[in-house]
Amino acid sequence: MRTQVCIIGGGPSGLLLSQLLHRRGIESVILERQTRDYVLGRIRAGVLEQGLLRLMDEAGVGGRMRREGFEHAGTLIAYGEEMFRIDFVEHTGTPVMVYGQTEVTRDLYEAREAAGGIIEFEVEGVAIHDADRDAPYVTWRQGGAEKRIDCDFVAGCDGFHGVSRRSIPEDARREYEKVYPFGWLGILSETPPVNHELIYANSPRGFALCSMRNENLSRYYVQCSAHDKVENWSDDEFWAELKRRIPGHVAEGLVTGPSIEKSIAPLRSFVTEPMRWGRLFLCGDAAHIVPPTGAKGLNTAASDVHYLFSGLTQFYELNDAEGLDLYSERALARIWKAERFSWWFSQLMHRFEDQTEFDRKMQIAEMELLRSSEAAQKAMAENYVGLPY
Ligand SMILES: Cc1cc2nc3c(=O)[nH]c(=O)nc-3n(C[C@H](O)[C@H](O)[C@H](O)COP(=O)(O)OP(=O)(O)OC[C@H]3O[C@@H](n4cnc5c(N)ncnc54)[C@H](O)[C@@H]3O)c2cc1C
């Protein structure tokens, strides 16, 4: 087999890149370790920035998202019984869109399939060869057979645990990491959301988030120990804990019901530099992770796709490698700002076991600043709706 761009990973990064390339007549093949249903069943991000919306439109898959997604003009921040709102549209002129990652992925799979795009599922033992030379190739096993594809470029879109980042020699990359001493226990329930906008809550018992996917599908999270297990939490225990962490008048309106999904996500900040090694380009979670507090995971993946897509089209259409040469620098400049925002918002909203009284006072002072200062709200809003690219 031969293609122009071999994409490892059929998550949102890989699918979006493949679909965008297809629209410009550039061939790609996607190699995905899991089945299609498995990928579609993963409940993850749900808040999309304008940049991702534009890319979905450009990829020709924005229709359902524009019809069924929910525009959010602001968000609520609660601490104890206090609550205030940050108006994104007032401060930036821009809303965000609530539309689940599962739906983004489904729209992209359907578009790739309709266009006859090649996606190889259940691949094992993917290995990248000669990425530092002119003729890279990728090998894998599938159904007992050994397979190989030759290509011009490899896009490593295979997430944090993928093979792409580890294919770059250790002495050619540098990793930066912060692991937070807690996780998020999340549930999905077929109940109406407690509020039409997200509520981020800092309470003495820890962080909570009231989020949603649509009018009858709610997503709620509570901060939990990094070592906690889903089995330790019945639905009733989850709802009781959530109610203790949000203002009383909000808790009164909370509609509870059976969870249809329950999981714990660890919180981590991580960046690897550079995001390019020869003809291998890392994209999305393969290169960086943010704690989900700032809703930046999927959105930073999208900005990487934008820079890589631009570089590849410049290369194929204009025979100019400048965009590819600048890919890592351009992508990382934006990534570090999203990392900063996600880290800052996580520091502000969570309880840390080793937090001193002084740290706590700083958190409250920061919260008061955010509540009372137009400038602080504008800075928060600019980052939340997504920095331009
Ligand atoms: C539990 C969880 C909850 C999250 N919640 C949020 C949230 O609320 N908000 C938010 O903004 N972000 C959230 N994120 C982050 C967001 O989902 C990711 O940033 C986004 O999925 C990144 O997309 P990606 O395509 O780069 O990587 P992924 O979605 O991880 O896709 C990578 C794909 O590569 C495949 N793969 C891996 N290894 C190989 C291999 N060796 N060979 C072939 N294929 C391989 C995987 O099966 C996967 O399909 C969450 C992430 C997790 C894990």
Side-chain angles (χ1 to χ4, degrees):
M1 282 169 93
R2 171 156 185 93
T3 191
Q4 290 173 300
V5 183
C6 177
I7 299 175
I8 304 178
S13 305
L15 289 164
L16 182 58
L17 179 65
S18 176
Q19 179 64 11
L20 285 164
L21 291 173
H22 163 73
R23 304 262 295 183
R24 296 291 275 267
I26 301 167
E27 281 174 21
S28 66
V29 167
I30 297 178
L31 306 179
E32 168 56 51
R33 190 174 54 182
Q34 306 287 355
T35 63
R36 183 184 191 276
D37 286 348
Y38 182 93
V39 176
L40 284 172
R42 288 190 299 222
I43 308 294
R44 291 183 169 181
V47 178
L48 315 187
E49 296 174 356
Q50 294 297 323
L52 176 48
L53 306 193
R54 279 194 298 275
L55 285 173
M56 292 284 282
D57 287 338
E58 193 174 348
V61 294
R64 190 165 73 95
M65 174 190 75
R66 297 276 178 192
R67 282 194 308 279
E68 297 179 14
F70 293 84
E71 276 199 353
H72 281 204
T75 195
L76 290 150
I77 311 254
Y79 59 117
E81 290 299 309
E82 303 284 330
M83 193 154 75
F84 62 94
R85 180 167 183 270
I86 297 183
D87 193 317
F88 303 144
V89 174
E90 183 191 321
H91 290 298
T92 69
T94 309
V96 290
M97 170 83 82
V98 169
Y99 188 68
Q101 179 169 330
T102 42
E103 306 311 310
V104 169
T105 312
R106 181 178 299 281
D107 294 342
L108 285 163
Y109 267 132
E110 284 175 3
R112 289 315 297 125
E113 284 158 5
I118 302 174
I119 306 178
E120 301 285 346
F121 289 101
E122 297 183 81
V123 302
E124 293 175 346
V126 168
I128 301 166
H129 307 270
D130 291 351
D132 56 341
R133 311 230 173 108
D134 284 343
Y137 64 99
V138 178
T139 56
W140 70 97
R141 289 187 305 281
Q142 201 176 21
E146 299 286 336
K147 305 216 172 166
R148 164 177 173 150
I149 188 162
D150 293 85
C151 53
D152 300 332
F153 299 103
V154 181
C157 301
D158 49 352
F160 185 65
H161 300 287
V163 68
S164 299
R165 186 178 66 256
R166 285 180 279 117
S167 302
I168 302 177
E170 278 186 23
D171 59 6
R173 66 182 145 101
R174 174 136 189 225
E175 296 183 349
Y176 303 83
E177 185 174 44
K178 178 177 175 66
V179 178
Y180 299 80
F182 41 74
W184 280 17
L185 169 67
I187 69 164
L188 193 67
S189 75
E190 286 171 328
T191 51
V194 69
N195 189 60
H196 70 285
E197 290 177 343
L198 274 69
I199 301 176
Y200 288 87
N202 175 332
S203 91
R205 299 179 65 89
F207 171 76
L209 173 61
C210 305
S211 181
M212 71 290 290
R213 292 295 180 266
N214 62 44
E215 287 144 333
N216 199 42
L217 195 57
S218 296
R219 183 82 170 144
Y220 294 104
Y221 297 95
V222 294
Q223 174 186 348
C224 63
S225 150
H227 312 292
D228 216 335
K229 298 257 178 304
V230 169
E231 306 76 68
N232 296 340
W233 290 83
S234 68
D235 287 355
D236 287 346
E237 282 165 331
F238 179 89
W239 292 119
E241 188 57 34
L242 177 64
K243 283 182 180 175
R244 288 186 206 110
R245 296 187 187 193
I246 55 181
H249 69 280
V250 178
E252 275 170 25
L254 183 71
V255 179
T256 64
S259 64
I260 55 172
E261 194 265 354
K262 198 187 282 168
S263 52
I264 292 180
L267 266 70
R268 183 195 305 270
S269 297
F270 174 90
V271 180
T272 190
E273 290 185 341
M275 288 170 60
R276 175 200 186 165
W277 186 62
R279 287 177 172 255
L280 167 63
F281 295 84
L282 301 181
C283 213
D285 278 17
H288 42 78
I289 296 284
V290 283
T293 326
K296 291 280 162 268
L298 181 57
N299 292 305
T300 47
S303 63
D304 292 353
V305 168
H306 161 79
Y307 292 120
L308 184 53
F309 169 60
S310 308
L312 288 167
T313 47
Q314 196 178 349
F315 178 85
Y316 283 112
E317 292 175 3
L318 305 172
N319 198 21
D320 179 356
E322 188 208 15
L324 291 177
D325 291 340
L326 290 175
Y327 168 71
S328 180
E329 196 182 313
R330 284 181 174 157
L332 282 165
R334 191 174 186 280
I335 291 308
W336 276 115
K337 291 180 194 132
E339 289 281 344
R340 185 211 66 83
F341 175 69
S342 306
W343 161 84
W344 168 79
F345 203 24
S346 300
Q347 298 283 335
L348 179 65
M349 298 308 299
H350 291 84
R351 288 301 161 111
F352 291 76
E353 274 170 25
D354 59 354
Q355 203 166 33
T356 63
E357 285 298 305
F358 180 83
D359 296 335
R360 182 71 195 126
K361 284 282 188 194
M362 287 297 100
Q363 230 182 16
I364 293 168
E366 178 101 40
M367 198 70 97
E368 280 297 331
L369 178 75
L370 189 58
R371 179 160 85 147
S372 57
S373 158
E374 283 263 321
Q377 290 199 2
K378 190 172 166 69
M380 190 281 182
E382 269 180 2
N383 281 276
Y384 195 91
V385 304
L387 297 173
Y389 56 88

